């Protein structure tokens, strides 16, 4: 019975931390098209503060992927630095040091994640909040 109560409480806590309008951030990426070695910069305005807020951590995670092919990088994920509500957030997506992007169209998402902050050496609540997708973008990689 306790597990059901805990799970039922998650949406209420998650939505309480979610500012109005956060589910539809305008996300841009530059360049819109590049080569297998290009760096792509994803930009959006933070809907709310991120970082450690009370006993909770809040962050934006940026992901992008395409169909995998042998010998190239088909996905990327990174966490944006802490920021203030309304500030521009810029995240650079680059292929790994010894790799190149796969040719194709990458589809990306910006996810807002909320997680409990656990003090070192202390027990941490077993609550896990599902990430919330707050924006989408895409970029194209062409043969150079």
């Amino acid at each position: 019975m306790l597990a059901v109560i805990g799970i039922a409480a998650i949406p209420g806590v998650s939505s309480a931390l979610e500012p109005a309008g956060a589910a539809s951030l305008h996300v841009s990426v530059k360049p819109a098209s590049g080569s297998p070695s290009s760096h792509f910069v994803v930009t959006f305005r933070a809907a709310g503060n991120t970082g450690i807020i009370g006993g909770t951590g809040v962050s934006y995670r940026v992901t992008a992927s395409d169909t995998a092919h042998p010998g190239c990088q088909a996905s990327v994920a990174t966490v944006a630095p802490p920021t203030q509500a309304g500030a521009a957030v810029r995240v650079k997506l680059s292929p790994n040091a010894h790799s190149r992007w796969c040719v194709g169209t990458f589809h990306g998402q910006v996810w807002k994640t909320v997680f409990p902050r656990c003090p070192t050496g202390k027990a941490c609540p077993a609550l896990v909040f599902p990430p919330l997708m707050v924006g989408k973008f895409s970029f194209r990689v062409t043969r150079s």
Side-chain angles (χ1 to χ4, degrees):
M1 183 67 169
L2 290 177
V4 173
I5 293 169
I7 292 171
I10 291 172
V13 172
S14 181
S15 63
L17 293 171
E18 192 61 41
S24 59
L25 294 178
H26 172 74
V27 183
S28 65
V29 61
K30 289 186 180 176
S33 183
S35 73
S37 61
S38 290
H39 302 276
F40 296 91
V41 177
V42 176
T43 306
F44 58 93
R45 291 223 174 265
N49 295 338
T50 62
I52 302 301
I53 303 167
T56 304
V58 180
S59 66
Y60 287 112
R61 181 173 173 83
V62 179
T63 63
S65 63
D66 186 25
T67 305
H69 304 284
C72 60
Q73 184 172 332
S75 65
V76 64
T78 189
V79 176
T83 191
Q84 298 294 313
V89 178
R90 293 172 42 95
V91 175
K92 183 164 64 169
L93 304 180
S94 303
N96 294 330
H98 302 290
S99 188
R100 297 167 68 78
W101 295 119
C102 294
V103 171
T105 301
F106 282 71
H107 298 281
Q109 301 85 30
V110 177
W111 300 89
K112 184 171 184 179
T113 58
V114 178
F115 51 93
R117 181 173 174 245
C118 304
T120 306
K122 301 281 183 176
C124 188
L127 292 177
V128 176
F129 303 104
L132 177 66
M133 186 174 48
V134 294
K136 292 182 179 184
F137 62 94
S138 64
F139 60 88
R140 185 156 178 77
V141 176
T142 58
R143 298 191 195 288
S144 38

